[in-house]
Amino acid sequence: MKILITGATGFIGGAIAYELGVRGLLSSAIFLVRAPNRVEGLERLVSNLQKFQKKPLTMQVHQDQIVCADMSSIDAVPMSAWAGVTHVIHCAALATFSNNPKIWAMNVDSTVALAKAVSMHGSLERWLQVGTAMSCGPGLASPVPESWAHGSDVKPHLVPYTQSKIAAEMALKELPHFPLVVARPSIVVGHSQLGCAPSPSIFWVFRMAVALERFTCATAERIDIIPVDWCASALVALCVKPTLRHDLYHVSAGMSRANRFSEIDAAYAKASGAEPISNRYQQVALEDLRSLVPLFEAKLGKVNRILILRALTLYGAFAKLNYVFDNQRLLDEGIQASPTFASYIDVCVRTSESIPMLEQMAYDFK
Ligand SMILES: NC(=O)c1ccc[n+]([C@@H]2O[C@H](COP(=O)([O-])OP(=O)(O)OC[C@H]3O[C@@H](n4cnc5c(N)ncnc54)[C@H](OP(=O)(O)O)[C@@H]3O)[C@@H](O)[C@H]2O)c1
C-alpha cells in the first residue's frame, strides 16, 4: 500500500497524517506539499504534525516522502512521483466561504488533473475524495441522507465553495474505471483532546453568538459538529478498509451525537464559569442580522462592523439550515460514533482563552 495525501499542511489533512502515524502507516505515505524543495516541504509537514501532539513529535517522515507541487500545475510534476500509488486521500482544497476566484480551478480542475495523473501512472485502488456534507445545498430536511441525489443541480449554492466541492465529485464520478469513494465531513470544530490548539476554525462563531446572545438558530435545534481527530480517524478507516459497501459516506455526528444548541450553551457556560445564555438568547432572522450592528462595539469591542456582519451572515446561513447528516453507512462499516461537541467543548474554551475572538475569526477569512 502506498498512500498519497494532499492537504497535509492543513487542518484535516494534518490530522490525517497524524492518524497514519498512530496506525503505523506513516512510512507507507507520500505527501503532496506546496514548497520550493523537499527540505522546506518536510519542515511544513512536520510542523503541522506537531500541532496534533503535546509532547515532542516522535513520528518519522523523510524527505523522499515529499512531492513538492502546487495543485494548479499538476502537469509539471514528474509522472514518476505517482508510481506505485495505490490509495489517495485528497484533502487539499480552497476551503473558504469567500468568493476567491481560484476556487473552481483548485477544487474542480486541479482535482481532476491529479486524479487523471495518478490513475494513469499509479496503481490506483481507492481515491478517497474529501468532500463536504454541506454540498447537498439548502432546502433539505434532517437527517440529510448519504446520497448522490442532492446538491449538483442546486444553483446557486450558499457559497461557491460547496458548489465546487460537489462539482468535483461529479467530475470524478465520470472518470472511467475510477475507484472513487466520497467522504463528506460535516462541520469540523477543534480536537477532542487538544481543543482549538491545532486550529481555531469555526469556534469563534460560538464565542460570538454567546457574546452577542443572538444568532440565527433556535436553541432546541441540533447542529452536526465533529472533532478533527475523530474525522481523520474515520477518513483513514474509509481509505484503508479493504472493501466498502458504498461509494459515498457522511463523516458526521448524525442524529445520535449532534447536540442541540441548548446543550452546547450549557456545556460552554460550565467550561467558562458563566451562566448559560439560553434565558436571554434571541433568535435573529438571517435578513435581520444587520440590526445587530449597533451591538457589535458594546459586546465585541472595536471591530470592523462590515467584516463581522459578513461573517455572521455567511455562517448564520449555514447554521440556520439545522442540518444533521445521516451517518448510518459509516456506523455500518464498524466505525465508532463521534464524540459529541458538548463532551469536548471545555477543552476548546480553555485553549481559546488567551486568543482574541477576532484573531480566531481571521483564520477562516485568510
Ligand atoms: N474544516 C471543515 O469544517 C471541513 C468540513 C467539511 C469538509 N472539509 C473539507 O476538508 C478538506 C480540508 O479542509 P481544511 O479545513 O483542513 O482546510 P485547510 O486547513 O485550509 O487546508 C487546506 C489544505 O489544502 C492545501 N492546498 C490549498 N491549495 C493548494 C494548492 N493550490 N496546491 C496544493 N495544496 C493546496 C493547503 O496547502 P497550504 O498549506 O500550502 O496552503 C492545505 O494543506 C477540504 O477538502 C474541505 O473541503 C472541511
Side-chain angles (χ1 to χ4, degrees), residues 7 9-12 34 44 70-71 91-93 131 161 165 185-186 188:
T9 51
F11 182 33
I12 298 176
R34 279 200 281 198
R44 291 198 65 208
D70 190 304
M71 287 286 299
C91 198
Y161 157 69
K165 293 294 287 184
S186 52
V188 183

Side-chain angles (χ1 to χ4, degrees), residues 332-343:
D332 289 347
E333 294 290 353
I335 293 168
Q336 229 187 332
S338 164
T340 65
F341 184 39
S343 72

Side-chain angles (χ1 to χ4, degrees), residues 17 57 88 115 125 152 195 238 267 312 328:
L57 199 66
V88 175
E125 294 171 23
S152 57
L238 287 175
L312 282 177
Q328 196 54 50

Side-chain angles (χ1 to χ4, degrees), residues 4-11 30-48 65-74 77 82 90-96 100 102-103 105-107 110 114 363 366:
L4 167 67
I5 313 294
T6 69
T9 51
F11 182 33
I30 60 170
F31 300 91
L32 185 155
V33 179
R34 279 200 281 198
N37 54 61
R38 283 179 156 177
V39 176
E40 289 180 49
L42 183 61
E43 270 171 21
R44 291 198 65 208
L45 175 64
V46 169
S47 99
N48 199 36
Q65 291 175 261
I66 305 295
V67 177
C68 292
D70 190 304
M71 287 286 299
S72 60
S73 27
I74 286 302
V77 182
W82 319 125
H90 181 46
C91 198
L94 262 177
T96 173
N100 188 320
K102 292 183 179 161
I103 284 180
M106 167 63 196
N107 293 354
S110 299
L114 180 66
Y363 181 94
K366 56 188 185 300

Side-chain angles (χ1 to χ4, degrees), residues 124-269:
L124 200 55
E125 294 171 23
R126 182 165 301 158
W127 176 286
L128 190 79
Q129 173 71 10
V130 181
T132 168
M134 290 293 182
S135 68
C136 62
L140 301 175
S142 291
V144 176
E146 294 164 284
S147 161
W148 287 98
H150 309 289
S152 57
D153 53 350
V154 175
K155 283 195 182 82
H157 276 229
L158 292 177
V159 290
Y161 157 69
T162 53
Q163 191 143 16
S164 73
K165 293 294 287 184
I166 199 148
E169 294 174 4
M170 291 300 166
L172 294 176
K173 207 169 189 287
E174 293 298 307
L175 297 179
H177 314 296
F178 188 70
L180 175 66
V181 174
V182 168
R184 296 179 178 169
S186 52
I187 305 169
V188 183
V189 181
H191 184 290
S192 68
Q193 309 296 315
L194 304 171
C196 293
S199 163
S201 180
I202 305 179
F203 191 65
W204 60 269
V205 181
F206 296 91
R207 293 178 74 182
M208 209 172 270
V210 169
L212 294 169
E213 299 175 354
R214 291 158 178 84
F215 201 45
T216 53
C217 26
T219 52
E221 285 158 354
R222 291 179 194 276
I223 185 162
D224 197 313
I225 291 177
I226 54 173
V228 72
D229 45 326
W230 178 83
C231 176
S233 160
L235 291 172
V236 171
L238 287 175
C239 175
V240 302
K241 199 160 183 265
T243 54
L244 292 173
R245 292 173 216 186
H246 304 279
D247 62 0
L248 186 149
Y249 294 83
H250 279 152
V251 176
S252 60
M255 289 307 257
S256 68
R257 299 297 168 104
N259 285 125
R260 294 182 195 283
F261 284 97
S262 54
E263 294 167 330
I264 294 171
D265 177 34
Y268 189 107

Side-chain angles (χ1 to χ4, degrees), residues 279-290:
N279 296 337
R280 309 182 295 283
Y281 177 81
Q282 292 173 31
Q283 185 180 8
V284 180
L286 194 59
E287 45 291 359
D288 295 337
L289 280 173
R290 189 173 289 276

